[in-house]
Amino acid sequence: MGQVLSLLICGTAGSCQYLADAGVETPMLQSFLNYALLLLTYTLALCTHKGDASFLKVLRTKWWKYLVMGLADVEANYTVVKAYQFTTLTSIQLLDCFVIPVLMVLSWIFLKTRYRPVHFVAVMVCLVGVGAMVGADIISGRDQGSTSDVVLGDGLVLLSSVLYAVSNLCQEHTVKNLSRVEFLGMMGLFGTLISGVQLAALEINAVKAIKWDLYICMLFAVYALCMYALYSFMPVVVKLTSATAVNLSLLTADLFSLFCGLLLFNYKFSVLYIISFVIIMMGFIMFNAIPTYSALHGAAAQEAADPRPDHASDRLLAADGDARRTETGEAFTFL
């Protein structure tokens, strides 16, 4: 299922490339269309809920949490697209992986997720696969992008990785403890508001300059539908695994885009692409072969199910001591 998400990202990348070739560069408009679709489906569905899960109750009690989550998601999408104007594709592919260690740290702190040594080894294996992919890009002459301000561009990529990590962390917490409809409904609401304001402030002239025809409309539709399917399906995979595991599986999205580019954009083929795909998949399988665990749940389960007799005797002695103290207290009260 993670590879289905990668294919959807490949669809968004392909439609973006065709839009760029047609002279259309409106990343905020494209994001706005996706959030608007979420608003029209999941937010309206959330409005039908009753009780504590009702739309008004959720909005009244958790509005600021979803505002932060929506802001992180919108700006993560915007900053990574903006980075292409200042740095190279190679830098973006390498630094974009920064989302994985940031997400692992945030999960460790806030979700109390605990990783075993094999998980860290699996992440390193996946990053080796990314290195092989970047090496293939350099050999094939695909080091596209700009070098006008590399420091600024690299900083934007790192910022987008942190924002993606925050958004994905909130997503994992929400879909595992609350509901997928609530997450997507509130993401649609706040994402539409934030991206709409940013669209009006930054891209209104670019939107006016678009020469609309059936071809351009089809490209916008393909992008919006792929993003809508990605946002709708990703919480399902996150609930079954984790946000970290999903991001590891998404490392193959660039490879699927490259394979499409071989057919559509005449990219040069390199056997390193196949090798990098195999390495990333090996790391992903290693990561999911042994599940992570929660420190909170693990401690509670261990305390509840601890069969050791010394612990049982300790509990009996503690109970006996409490009884004696109670009897003494009653005697003092009587006196």
Side-chain angles (χ1 to χ4, degrees):
M1 289 190 290
Q3 297 314 295
V4 173
L5 298 179
S6 289
L7 286 172
L8 291 172
I9 293 178
C10 176
T12 63
S15 57
C16 278
Q17 183 65 58
Y18 279 115
L19 284 170
D21 292 343
V24 178
E25 294 184 0
T26 54
M28 196 51 63
L29 173 61
Q30 293 160 224
S31 295
F32 176 80
L33 294 175
N34 168 51
Y35 293 121
L37 289 176
L38 294 176
L39 176 70
L40 293 174
T41 51
Y42 293 102
T43 307
L44 292 179
L46 185 61
C47 291
T48 63
H49 290 191
K50 305 295 183 182
D52 291 338
S54 66
F55 172 75
L56 292 178
K57 183 67 176 293
V58 172
L59 188 62
R60 186 166 55 249
T61 58
K62 307 173 188 175
W63 66 269
W64 65 272
K65 298 179 181 179
Y66 287 112
L67 175 62
V68 172
M69 183 178 64
L71 185 65
D73 194 74
V74 172
E75 299 310 323
N77 290 327
Y78 181 75
T79 51
V80 72
V81 173
K82 201 70 177 174
Y84 280 92
Q85 301 179 12
F86 304 104
T87 190
T88 62
L89 175 65
T90 300
S91 296
I92 293 174
Q93 288 175 327
L94 286 173
L95 296 175
D96 196 40
C97 300
F98 187 61
V99 65
I100 295 171
V102 173
L103 188 53
M104 293 179 74
V105 171
L106 293 178
S107 298
W108 182 287
I109 296 173
F110 295 104
L111 301 182
K112 305 302 179 185
T113 303
R114 296 296 179 260
Y115 301 97
R116 294 179 170 87
V118 67
H119 296 122
F120 296 102
V121 174
V123 170
M124 293 303 299
V125 171
C126 288
L127 295 182
V128 168
V130 173
M133 177 183 65
V134 172
D137 284 343
I138 295 174
I139 293 174
S140 301
R142 284 197 67 245
D143 195 19
Q144 301 170 346
S146 173
T147 56
S148 60
D149 195 334
V150 174
V151 175
L152 175 60
D154 292 350
L156 289 173
V157 178
L158 293 175
L159 176 60
S160 72
S161 297
V162 174
L163 293 173
Y164 273 128
V166 172
S167 175
N168 290 342
L169 181 81
C170 296
Q171 179 177 178
E172 180 176 352
H173 172 76
T174 305
V175 300
K176 288 188 175 181
N177 296 283
L178 298 172
S179 76
R180 169 175 167 267
V181 173
E182 179 177 323
F183 167 75
L184 291 174
M186 301 309 288
M187 179 66 78
L189 174 63
F190 287 103
T192 301
L193 292 175
I194 296 169
S195 62
V197 171
Q198 204 160 331
L199 170 63
L202 301 177
E203 292 185 358
I204 192 68
N205 292 328
V207 173
K208 291 179 179 179
I210 297 175
K211 298 178 180 179
W212 295 96
D213 55 26
L214 181 61
Y215 176 72
I216 297 297
C217 291
M218 288 293 293
L219 291 177
F220 272 105
V222 169
Y223 178 88
L225 291 175
C226 285
M227 284 294 289
Y228 176 77
L230 175 67
Y231 272 67
S232 299
F233 190 44
M234 188 171 176
V236 177
V237 189
V238 169
K239 187 172 184 177
L240 293 174
T241 56
S242 68
T244 304
V246 170
N247 276 276
L248 287 174
S249 70
L250 294 181
L251 293 176
T252 59
D254 287 333
L255 287 169
F256 285 128
S257 299
L258 291 170
F259 295 149
C260 291
L262 294 172
L263 300 174
L264 302 176
F265 305 113
N266 298 318
Y267 290 165
K268 295 181 180 179
F269 176 76
S270 173
V271 71
L272 280 177
Y273 291 139
I274 303 297
I275 295 174
S276 63
F277 179 80
V278 172
I279 293 174
I280 291 174
M281 290 306 299
M282 286 175 56
F284 178 63
I285 292 171
M286 286 174 59
F287 188 92
N288 287 280
I290 300 178
T292 59
Y293 66 97
S294 172
L296 293 177
H297 295 166
Q302 183 177 2
E303 183 177 351
D306 197 342
R308 290 182 293 178
D310 55 338
H311 280 235
S313 61
D314 289 344
R315 287 193 292 271
L316 288 173
L317 290 173
D320 183 62
D322 291 340
R324 290 178 185 274
R325 285 191 292 273
T326 302
E327 292 172 0
T328 304
E330 290 175 350
F332 276 114
T333 302
F334 175 76
L335 292 173

